[in-house]
Amino acid sequence: MLNYVCNITAIVLYIAASVYLYTNVARLQQANRNWLLSFAGLAIVAHFFGLVLLVFQPGGYQLGFFIALSLITCVINIIVALSGLRLPILNLFLFLSPFSALSVAAALFGHSPLTPLHTISAGLLCHITLSVLAYALLTISALQALFLAWQDHQLRHKHTTGKVRLLPPLQTMETLLFDVIWAGQITLTVSIVSGFWFIQDMFAQSLVHKTVLSIVAWLLYSILLFGRHRQGWRGSYAIRWTLAGFCTLMLAYFGSKLVIELVLGGQTI
C-alpha cells in the first residue's frame, strides 16, 4: 500500500512541476526557480522511496524494463535538480517531468520479473549502479543537445526574441554539453570494464546485443570527444554525434531488455 502512496504522490508532483514550469517558463527567475525545485525535489523524494519499495522484495529484486526505466529517470532528475542549483539546466524539467510521471506509472502498474537475491553479487550491483549513472548522464547530454539544436536553429533564422532568450549563450550551452558527455563517457568506460570484470561472460546470448551496442556507443562518444579536441567540432557535428551515441546506448540496454522481457518473456539484469 505504501508503494502506491509514494508513487502516486510522485506522479502528481511531477505533473505539478510540469504545469508550473510550462506556465512560468518565461519568468523563471530565482523565486520561481525555488518553487520549481520544491515541486521537483518533493517529486524526486517520493519517486525514490516508491522505487525502493518496488525494487526490494522479500524474495529478491524487481529490475524489469519499466522499473529500470523509472530508476534511470529518477537518477537523471536527481542530477538535474542538484546541477540546477548552479547551472542553467532547470528547463530540462519541461521534458523530464511529464516523462517521469509516465515512467513512475509504468513501473507501478507494469509487470516486472523477480530476480532472486543470490543472483546479484556485490560486484554485479556495482556494475548496475555505474551503468545507471552512465545512462543518466548521457541522457542529460542528449536532452542538452536537443536544446542546443533548437537554439542554433532559432539563431540561424534570426529568431532572437521569445523563449530562446531564456537559454544561456550558445557557447555556454556547448561547454555544458561536453562537460556532461565527458562525465558520462568516463562513467560508461568504468561500467563496461566492470562488466567484463564481474560478469562471467559478457558475450553470452542474453548479453551480446547489450555488450556490442554499448561498445559501439562508447566508440561514437570517443570519436565525438576526439573530434572536439582535435578539430574543434561544435554545432551540428556535436548534436548529431551526441544523439547517435545516445540512441545506440539506449538501444543497447532498453532495446535488448524490451525484446527479452516483454516479447520473449525472459529475464535480464
Side-chain angles (χ1 to χ4, degrees):
M1 181 64 181
L2 185 58
N3 67 325
Y4 280 94
V5 173
C6 289
N7 283 290
I8 290 175
T9 300
I11 293 171
V12 172
L13 288 170
Y14 276 132
I15 293 173
S18 182
V19 171
Y20 183 82
L21 181 55
Y22 182 79
T23 56
N24 291 275
V25 68
R27 305 184 278 115
L28 201 58
Q29 305 302 320
Q30 187 60 45
N32 295 330
R33 281 165 52 88
N34 292 340
W35 274 106
L36 173 61
L37 284 170
S38 298
F39 280 127
L42 291 172
I44 291 168
V45 171
H47 189 171
F48 175 79
F49 283 107
L51 264 175
V52 170
L53 294 171
L54 285 175
V55 171
F56 295 97
Q57 300 295 318
Y61 306 99
Q62 286 192 136
L63 292 170
F65 176 83
F66 295 117
I67 290 181
L69 180 63
S70 181
L71 174 60
I72 291 176
T73 303
C74 184
V75 174
I76 292 170
N77 289 333
I78 292 172
I79 295 172
V80 171
L82 293 177
S83 300
L85 295 174
R86 60 183 185 86
L87 297 173
I89 61 173
L90 287 180
N91 283 345
L92 292 180
F93 278 116
L94 193 62
F95 298 102
L96 287 174
S97 293
F99 182 77
S100 299
L102 290 174
S103 71
V104 172
L108 182 61
F109 298 110
H111 170 72
S112 181
L114 187 69
T115 302
L117 290 171
H118 63 84
T119 60
I120 298 184
S121 63
L124 182 56
L125 186 60
C126 176
H127 167 69
I128 293 172
T129 302
L130 288 167
S131 298
V132 169
L133 182 57
Y135 294 143
L137 287 167
L138 293 170
T139 299
I140 293 172
S141 74
L143 292 173
Q144 183 73 6
L146 291 175
F147 268 111
L148 185 60
W150 177 74
Q151 184 181 21
D152 183 65
H153 177 270
Q154 295 293 96
L155 294 177
R156 286 180 182 275
H157 290 79
K158 311 300 182 182
H159 299 157
T160 56
T161 59
K163 293 182 179 180
V164 71
R165 298 179 62 187
L166 300 173
L167 296 176
L170 201 63
Q171 186 175 0
T172 302
M173 293 284 285
E174 284 187 345
T175 301
L176 179 59
L177 172 64
F178 280 96
D179 287 346
V180 177
I181 292 174
W182 267 113
Q185 178 72 337
I186 292 170
T187 311
L188 180 61
T189 302
V190 179
S191 169
I192 293 173
V193 171
S194 69
F196 281 105
W197 185 266
F198 293 116
I199 298 175
Q200 291 185 346
D201 187 3
M202 281 281 281
F203 290 98
Q205 185 174 0
S206 60
L207 295 174
V208 63
H209 296 93
K210 178 182 176 183
T211 302
V212 171
L213 288 172
S214 295
I215 293 173
V216 171
W218 183 90
L219 290 172
L220 290 173
Y221 284 117
S222 296
I223 293 171
L224 170 59
L225 293 172
F226 180 79
R228 171 71 169 185
H229 176 69
R230 293 296 298 270
Q231 303 294 330
W233 284 3
R234 53 179 302 179
S236 60
Y237 279 105
I239 293 165
R240 290 169 186 169
W241 282 91
T242 300
L243 295 179
F246 170 74
C247 291
T248 305
L249 189 63
M250 290 300 105
L251 186 61
Y253 186 70
F254 287 111
S256 59
K257 204 169 184 65
L258 175 68
V259 172
I260 293 173
E261 290 187 9
L262 303 184
V263 178
L264 301 180
Q267 188 170 333
T268 62
I269 58 174

